[in-house]
């Protein structure tokens, strides 16, 4: 049995608790017990491994997860996702303990916008307002006027007067897609997601020939060349809902493969084919999302570590644009 002090030391080196868990332990049962004991809620993104999705209290896209984090009564928020998501939960819940199973679970998109370089970019365009995709660090949020997610980006941009110049960061693919949808000419930061950028258009087109009836569903973080062939473009939740409601029974899915678990659960009679990347793999996993395991979820709940810690000045500055996003989303009827 480790003490909390030993656990903290262990954490310093690793970013997760490297404590062995007996193979005989029923992790599902133990996690359920810990939920009650600690008054904890597990929020999971669709890209998490299947076992984590199955034990979660809420599974959702970035907007849904932010909303859920904003309204929870739990004392401990277990964020089964990546760092910027857990950070968003902490920004909205300063007095709650927010734990992330593995602190190394970052995001290539968030990494593509270092705060100092972004501040200079912003200072070079003083007449622009900044809309940032939620997949960014707290420092970038603090430099932004409004946050958006892939499910509300278009509505958020449309809520800004036409003559107001906008910087959109950090995802150039989502930015370019929204520019196309809205006829705007937002200035785009040159960032991207390593998972959505490596889909192979050639292999996708081959799959389309192999399954001529299948519809291509794509996340807007994908490159324009892939989006051009998509039958539906949307956030993870929107893709999932489309597949449930649509008459088609076969879909090629161009987003992280973790989402197939819920798609198959929601529509067991339908066939989902993951879009292949540009390498030897058959589907596309986010290496950061997949750092979290059921064991790490158990350990972070048991010890309350690793937790997200943030200075109050940064938190308040980062909260403003998130509140703005939630307000606009409410006012246009996207959320309640
Ligand atoms: P959404 O779940 O908001 O569609 O975001 C996808 C993603 O890349 C999260 O990291
Ligand atoms: Fe970041 Fe892309 Fe992974 Fe999402 S899928 S966490 S955007 S690297």
């Amino acid at each position: 049995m480790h003490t909390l002090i030993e656990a903290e030391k262990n954490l310093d080196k690793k970013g997760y608790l490297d404590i062995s868990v007996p193979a005989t332990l029923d992790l599902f049962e133990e996690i359920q017990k810990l939920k009650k004991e600690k008054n904890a809620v597990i929020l999971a993104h669709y890209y998490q491994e299947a076992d984590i999705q199955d034990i979660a209290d809420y599974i959702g896209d970035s907007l849904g997860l932010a909303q859920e984090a904003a309204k929870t009564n739990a004392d401990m928020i277990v964020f089964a996702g990546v760092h910027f998501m857990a950070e968003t939960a902490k920004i909205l819940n300063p007095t709650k303990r927010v734990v992330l199973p593995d602190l190394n679970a970052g995001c290539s998109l968030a990494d593509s916008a270092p705060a100092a370089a972004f501040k200079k970019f912003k200072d070079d365009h003083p007449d622009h307002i900044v809309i940032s995709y939620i997949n960014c660090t707290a420092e970038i949020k603090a430099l932004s006027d409004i946050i958006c997610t892939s499910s509300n980006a278009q509505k958020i941009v449309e809520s800004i007067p036409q003559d107001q110049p906008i910087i959109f960061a950090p995802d150039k693919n989502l930015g370019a897609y929204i520019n196309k949808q809205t006829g705007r000419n937002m200035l785009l930061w040159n960032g991207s997601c390593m998972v959505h950028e490596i889909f192979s258009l050639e292999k996708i087109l081959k799959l389309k020939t192999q399954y001529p009836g299948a519809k291509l569903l794509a996340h807007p973080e994908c490159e324009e060349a892939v989006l051009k062939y998509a039958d539906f473009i949307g956030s993870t939740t929107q893709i999932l809902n489309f597949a449930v409601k649509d008459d088609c029974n076969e879909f090629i899915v161009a987003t992280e493969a973790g989402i197939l678990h819920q798609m198959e659960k929601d529509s067991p009679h339908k066939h989902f084919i993951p879009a292949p990347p540009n390498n030897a793999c058959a589907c596309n996993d986010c290496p950061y999302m997949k750092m979290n395991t059921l064991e790490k979820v158990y350990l972070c709940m048991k010890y309350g570590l690793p937790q997200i810690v943030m200075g109050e000045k940064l938190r308040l500055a980062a909260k403003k644009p998130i509140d703005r996003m939630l307000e606009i989303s409410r006012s246009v009827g996207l959320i309640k």
Side-chain angles (χ1 to χ4, degrees):
M1 178 65 176
H2 279 68
T3 64
L4 195 58
I5 295 172
E6 281 167 17
E8 262 171 340
K9 275 193 201 144
N10 172 305
L11 189 65
D12 279 348
K13 287 182 243 132
K14 304 267 187 178
Y16 59 89
L17 294 174
D18 192 11
I19 297 173
S20 62
V21 174
T24 50
L25 206 67
D26 182 334
L27 290 174
F28 280 93
E29 207 178 295
E30 293 301 317
I31 289 172
Q32 294 296 6
K33 272 195 227 158
L34 284 168
K35 272 191 205 175
K36 286 202 187 106
E37 226 174 84
K38 312 251 173 176
N39 186 26
V41 65
I42 303 181
L43 308 182
H45 190 268
Y46 293 119
Y47 297 166
Q48 291 294 284
E49 62 172 49
D51 282 350
I52 297 181
Q53 293 190 37
D54 289 343
I55 196 95
D57 297 292
Y58 177 85
I59 320 167
D61 67 358
S62 307
L63 180 60
L65 288 165
Q67 262 182 283
E68 219 39 49
K71 67 179 190 212
T72 182
N73 291 321
D75 295 317
M76 180 190 274
I77 300 175
V78 182
F79 218 110
V82 291
H83 195 272
F84 75 81
M85 296 177 172
E87 228 177 29
T88 303
K90 185 67 184 177
I91 291 166
L92 295 167
N93 293 285
T95 59
K96 296 187 198 300
R97 197 166 188 103
V98 179
V99 293
L100 179 65
D102 188 330
L103 274 187
N104 304 304
C107 167
S108 68
L109 188 47
D111 288 348
S112 65
F118 187 70
K119 178 161 185 334
K120 180 166 183 321
F121 184 68
K122 180 183 161 171
D123 290 348
D124 287 345
H125 302 92
D127 55 332
H128 286 56
I129 64 154
V130 177
I131 301 183
S132 293
Y133 189 33
I134 199 163
N135 299 34
C136 64
T137 60
E139 286 77 9
I140 297 295
K141 289 187 174 76
L143 290 167
S144 307
D145 297 289
I146 316 174
I147 297 302
C148 70
T149 73
S150 49
S151 53
N152 62 18
Q154 185 169 338
K155 295 265 191 227
I156 300 265
V157 170
E158 282 169 351
S159 75
I160 306 300
Q162 275 289 341
D163 57 349
Q164 170 61 59
I166 301 172
I167 289 175
F168 188 89
D171 189 7
K172 63 175 180 193
N173 291 323
L174 175 62
Y177 171 67
I178 300 297
N179 269 344
K180 205 168 151 210
Q181 293 300 103
T182 58
R184 303 289 287 237
N185 186 23
M186 298 187 295
L187 189 57
L188 308 180
W189 179 262
N190 189 17
S192 58
C193 157
M194 61 188 283
V195 178
H196 289 87
E197 262 212 336
I198 61 160
F199 284 114
S200 160
L201 180 60
E202 203 187 321
K203 290 185 193 169
I204 290 175
L205 293 180
K206 257 192 206 152
L207 276 178
K208 270 179 120 14
T209 318
Q210 206 179 331
Y211 300 97
K215 284 189 177 168
L216 175 63
L217 312 180
H219 195 280
E221 286 175 25
C222 293
E223 289 183 324
E224 197 187 350
V226 170
L227 295 181
K228 211 171 98 184
Y229 290 93
D231 297 287
F232 178 77
I233 300 168
S235 77
T236 48
T237 298
Q238 291 167 339
I239 286 178
L240 201 72
N241 292 342
F242 182 88
V244 169
K245 288 188 192 135
D246 198 69
D247 290 341
C248 187
N249 280 324
E250 209 158 43
F251 300 95
I252 301 164
V253 185
T255 189
E256 211 264 8
I259 196 173
L260 267 73
H261 179 59
Q262 284 309 314
M263 296 182 106
E264 283 160 355
K265 268 175 102 170
D266 287 353
S267 312
H269 56 291
K270 297 191 178 183
H271 181 206
F272 298 101
I273 307 146
N278 227 332
N279 54 34
C281 303
C283 65
N284 225 350
D285 276 328
C286 171
Y288 299 108
M289 285 280 182
K290 295 301 187 312
M291 279 179 182
N292 296 328
T293 60
L294 204 58
E295 271 197 11
K296 289 180 189 170
V297 169
Y298 162 74
L299 286 168
C300 79
M301 290 177 80
K302 187 170 165 69
Y303 293 98
L305 292 170
Q307 69 163 324
I308 304 291
V309 186
M310 194 179 301
E312 190 58 4
K313 197 171 158 208
L314 174 62
R315 187 189 76 78
L316 287 173
K319 186 171 182 289
K320 250 168 119 175
I322 299 175
D323 287 343
R324 193 89 204 272
M325 165 183 85
L326 294 171
E327 256 164 53
I328 298 174
S329 301
R330 240 171 250 127
S331 73
V332 298
L334 275 177
I335 61 172
K336 284 187 193 132

